[in-house]
Every structure is written in C-alpha cells, then in structure tokens.
Amino acid sequence: MNTTDQYYTENAQSFFDTTVNVDVQKLYDHFLPHVKPNGAILDAGCGSGRDSKHFQDLGYDVTAFDANELLTQLASEHLGFKVIHATFDSYQATPESFDGIWACASLLHVPTEELPSVLNKYGELLTPKGVFYCSFKYGDTDQIRNGRFFSDMNETKLQKMLAPLTLNICLTWISSDARPGRESEKWLNVLLNK
C-alpha cells in the first residue's frame, strides 16, 4: 500500500465527513455547460462521492471510481450505487464512453512524469465533444504533504505537459480552497477537450 492510499485508509471517515458537503458549485458551473444533458460522466477519483451525487441528482449517467477501498465503500453507501475500486492505471472503459470526465483533486496524486500517459488514456475515453475537468494544488513541485503525495501544477507546467498530447486547454482558472479554514490554499482548475 502506498503512503497516499494508507493515508486515505487511516482517515477515510474523517475525509468523507469533511468533504461530502463542501460547496463546489462554482466548479460545476464551469464544467456542466460543456456536458450534454443527461450525458455520461466519469467521476475519476470520486472520494466521498459528493460530485457524483450532484451529477446524479441532475440526471446525468454517472460512473465513479476511487483508488481507496474504504472510500469506495463510503461513497457507494452515499450514492446508492457501486463505486468501482480502481486506480487511474487499472480503470478500464470503452473509448469515447464519456461526455464528461471529472477529476476533482484526484489526478494531483499521480506523479508528474506519469501524468501525460494518464491524461492521454482518459482523453481517449471522451466523446468527440466531451470535456475533461481536473484540478491541482497551485505550484510546480512534487512533494509529500501530511502523508500524501501531490503533483502541484501551474499554467507553465501544464502547457509543457500537454504539448505532445491530443488534449487541448479550453480554460484554466485559479480558485481558493472551498473547505472552511483552507481559503488561503490556491488551486489550478483546468478544462480540457480533444
């Protein structure tokens, strides 16, 4: 078990409790206009299942997975459907299956050198007009913080990483952390398309 997965195993309930009700409506407002009504959304690294629940309640066809087994159990109970236990590497789906891919604060646990192949893989799962949302802590380093590995991202690092890929940057914006007491933490939000 890697240190990040171990962190989530040891803190699954508290992580669930502190994230499941966080209001990220501003993020949805950027993403959902690009996803066709009742379209298929993949919640990649769904954590508590908060976002899957929102999309499900709006009538989208939601598939969700997470790398941590305990979080998949908690999210499955919250959602009323089975969350798949898989990593970004192990998850498999048919190409062009999803109108939207949502990777909110999840790809940031993938090492920078592995991100291009992961982004490429998930880009292939998008329909031709699909959109891919991801978010990273703002910065340009890879480091372990409080027992979890993070790949931080800024605009320059993102552009360099995407240069050889078929994904294009639709939009980037910086936001503050939506969790109470964490407002000083900055995030790079990214919308990608083919």
Side-chain angles (χ1 to χ4, degrees), residues 1 3-21 46-50 66-78 85 146-148 179:
M1 183 185 295
T3 56
T4 301
D5 189 49
Q6 186 175 346
Y7 171 92
Y8 285 113
T9 297
E10 291 170 0
N11 298 279
Q13 190 65 56
S14 62
F15 180 81
F16 178 91
D17 294 341
T18 57
T19 60
V20 73
N21 293 313
C46 70
S48 64
R50 171 197 66 211
D66 198 90
N68 183 268
E69 193 165 10
L70 283 180
L71 279 175
T72 64
Q73 293 167 14
L74 293 169
S76 295
E77 288 169 26
H78 178 61
H85 178 223
N146 301 323
R148 289 180 290 173
R179 293 168 293 180

Side-chain angles (χ1 to χ4, degrees), residues 26-55:
K26 289 178 182 173
L27 303 181
Y28 303 146
D29 290 346
H30 284 289
F31 173 70
L32 290 175
H34 301 278
V35 182
K36 74 178 187 183
N38 306 314
I41 294 177
L42 174 64
D43 191 350
C46 70
S48 64
R50 171 197 66 211
D51 305 322
S52 288
K53 182 86 170 78
H54 181 78
F55 302 146

Side-chain angles (χ1 to χ4, degrees), residues 119-189:
L119 288 168
N120 210 38
K121 172 183 174 176
Y122 285 85
E124 290 174 5
L125 302 185
L126 279 179
T127 58
K129 292 187 176 179
V131 67
F132 186 164
Y133 168 80
C134 48
S135 59
F136 301 86
K137 287 184 180 282
Y138 195 79
D140 64 359
T141 58
D142 283 15
Q143 58 184 300
I144 292 176
R145 287 190 203 99
N146 301 323
R148 289 180 290 173
F149 175 85
F150 290 92
S151 291
D152 297 343
M153 192 68 62
N154 61 23
E155 298 88 343
T156 306
K157 185 177 173 184
L158 178 72
Q159 287 173 339
K160 185 177 175 185
M161 184 177 65
L162 289 172
L165 306 183
T166 55
L167 288 167
N168 304 301
I169 298 170
C170 228
L171 179 69
T172 62
W173 72 100
I174 296 170
S175 62
S176 296
D177 200 301
R179 293 168 293 180
R182 308 275 290 268
E183 296 84 0
S184 64
E185 292 183 31
K186 300 298 179 198
W187 289 78
L188 179 68
N189 301 275

